[in-house]
Amino acid sequence: MSADNPIDLGEKDQQVLAAWRILFEKEYLPEIKDLEGLEMNVFGFEVEHDVMSKDNVLKTEFHLNPARTLSMGDKVLKEQFDQNGVLTRPIVRVVNLSTNYHRTMDELRMRDRDKLLSVDVKIAHVSHPYGWLKSAIYKCKDCGTSATVEQRRARERESPSVCRICLQKSIEGIDTKDIPLAHFYPRPNFRMVTDECYYEDVQDISMRQISYNKDHHLIQCSTKFELIGTLADDLVGDIESSSFMRVNGILRVQPIPTRNFAKDTRRLLSIDVISVEPLPIVDAK
C-alpha cells in the first residue's frame, strides 16, 4: 500500500479481513504449506462454501458483496502464501455453493444483477483469450502525485478529473473574495504510467441451459436459453467447448455486442465467473 495514498479501512472491512485470516489459518494452512515451491504465475485456491459459511461475517458479506469479499480474501491469502514461501499470486475460488444459489437461465431477470448464483450448463463456445486494462495508474504532471482508477471492461477508459493536491494548492493561493469559486475550472493534467497498470487475462464463454435426472443423464440442452460468461486469470484456457459445468458467479449487465450507437441503452445479462465445477453428465445422444 502506497504511503502517498493511505486507505483507512472501515470496521466492516477489518472484520472481513480478520475472518479470512482466521479461516485460512484454521482450515487451510496445511494445504497452503504443501504449495511451497509452486511455479505458477497465478493459482486458483478452492474454498468450500460450507466451510466459509461457518463464519457469520464471511457468510453475510459474501452474500451481500461477493466481489469485494473475494478481493479481500485474495489479499489475505497472498499474505499467507508469502509467509509460507509460496511465490505465486492466489485467487480465491469458492466452490460448492449451497442450493439456495442454484438457478436456471430462464428465471434470471435484470433485477437479479450483482447477485450470486450457480447454473448448470453446457459450454457452447469458448472465445480466444484476450486482456483488458483493469486498473490504470496516472501521475500528475505538475506534482507527481499518483492516482489509481479502476476501469470497467468494454467501457471507455476513465482518467482522473483533477489532482486534489494541486486543486488544494490553487484554492489556497487565490483570493476567494475577488474570484468566485464558480469561475475557477481546474483542468486535469495527468499521464498514464503504462508500465505500472494492471491488465487481466480474460476469456468469454457461451453457455446453454441443461436439465438432467438424478442419475446425471442429460434430458435437454436448450438453445433458447443461452448466457455469456467471463473467465479470468487461472480459469482462462481451462474450459473446453461441449463440456458440462456448474458455473458459479455474479450476475452482471452489459451492453449488447451488436449495439449500433454509443448511447444504446439495451443490455444483456452475463456472469462474472468465480469458479467452475465439472458435472458428470451422460449425454446419450
Side-chain angles (χ1 to χ4, degrees):
M1 188 180 299
S2 174
D4 297 333
N5 297 286
I7 298 176
D8 184 17
L9 293 175
E11 181 179 354
K12 183 179 295 184
D13 287 346
Q14 293 179 19
Q15 291 176 349
V16 173
L17 291 172
W20 275 119
R21 191 169 293 108
I22 293 172
L23 174 71
F24 291 130
E25 292 177 351
K26 182 179 179 181
E27 304 286 350
Y28 292 101
L29 190 55
E31 292 183 32
I32 294 174
K33 289 182 177 180
D34 287 343
L35 295 174
E36 184 178 359
L38 180 68
E39 296 182 356
M40 296 178 66
N41 291 326
V42 60
F43 179 75
F45 191 90
E46 292 189 353
V47 173
E48 293 287 337
H49 183 245
D50 60 347
V51 174
M52 182 186 188
S53 297
K54 293 177 182 177
D55 186 283
N56 289 330
V57 173
L58 289 180
K59 178 181 180 180
T60 302
E61 291 303 313
F62 181 62
H63 175 75
L64 296 176
N65 197 343
R68 181 163 179 78
T69 303
L70 290 173
S71 176
M72 288 190 281
D74 293 341
K75 294 178 182 178
V76 175
L77 186 56
K78 183 62 170 70
E79 293 176 1
Q80 297 291 326
F81 271 34
D82 291 343
Q83 292 173 10
N84 291 279
V86 186
L87 304 179
T88 188
R89 180 171 62 89
I91 302 292
V92 176
R93 301 293 182 191
V94 180
V95 296
N96 293 322
L97 270 64
S98 69
T99 55
N100 295 332
Y101 295 103
H102 291 189
R103 306 287 296 274
T104 57
M105 293 183 190
D106 57 313
E107 64 180 343
L108 297 178
R109 300 292 183 269
M110 289 290 173
R111 58 179 175 268
D112 297 318
R113 60 178 297 187
D114 298 332
K115 291 184 179 179
L116 274 171
L117 77 163
S118 289
V119 288
D120 293 344
V121 302
K122 181 178 182 179
I123 307 298
H125 175 72
V126 180
S127 76
H128 291 292
Y130 64 96
W132 71 288
L133 177 63
K134 190 172 184 178
S135 296
I137 309 297
Y138 293 89
K139 274 193 177 180
C140 177
K141 294 181 181 178
D142 295 317
C143 69
T145 300
S146 296
T148 302
V149 181
E150 298 297 327
Q151 306 295 320
R152 296 179 298 166
R153 195 170 63 94
R155 301 294 197 279
E156 183 178 353
R157 177 166 57 87
E158 298 179 359
S159 59
S161 58
V162 66
C163 174
R164 294 181 178 272
I165 303 298
C166 292
L167 176 61
Q168 185 63 35
K169 290 180 180 179
S170 299
I171 293 177
E172 292 173 352
I174 63 174
D175 185 355
T176 55
K177 293 181 180 179
D178 298 327
I179 304 178
L181 289 179
H183 296 167
F184 180 71
Y185 297 100
R187 295 181 178 179
N189 192 25
F190 289 88
R191 67 179 180 89
M192 190 171 76
V193 187
T194 55
D195 292 342
E196 298 180 15
C197 293
Y198 175 66
Y199 296 86
E200 184 178 60
D201 292 310
V202 292
Q203 194 172 30
D204 293 324
I205 57 175
S206 177
M207 305 170 287
R208 290 176 179 172
Q209 179 171 295
I210 62 172
S211 58
Y212 54 92
N213 60 24
K214 62 180 181 179
D215 296 321
H216 286 83
H217 286 82
L218 183 68
I219 297 175
Q220 183 182 30
C221 178
S222 173
T223 58
K224 179 180 179 181
F225 298 106
E226 194 163 324
L227 201 61
I228 299 298
T230 302
L231 308 172
D233 285 319
D234 60 296
L235 295 179
V236 173
D238 278 357
I239 307 300
E240 297 182 353
S241 297
S242 301
S243 57
F244 296 96
M245 294 284 178
R246 173 164 293 169
V247 174
N248 308 308
I250 306 169
L251 195 65
R252 301 298 194 189
V253 175
Q254 65 178 12
I256 62 172
T258 56
R259 63 187 187 275
N260 51 19
F261 57 95
K263 295 184 179 181
D264 191 336
T265 60
R266 293 174 296 170
R267 295 294 184 266
L268 293 176
L269 291 174
S270 66
I271 296 179
D272 282 353
V273 181
I274 62 174
S275 65
V276 293
E277 305 164 44
L279 290 174
I281 300 296
V282 178
D283 188 357
K285 296 180 181 180

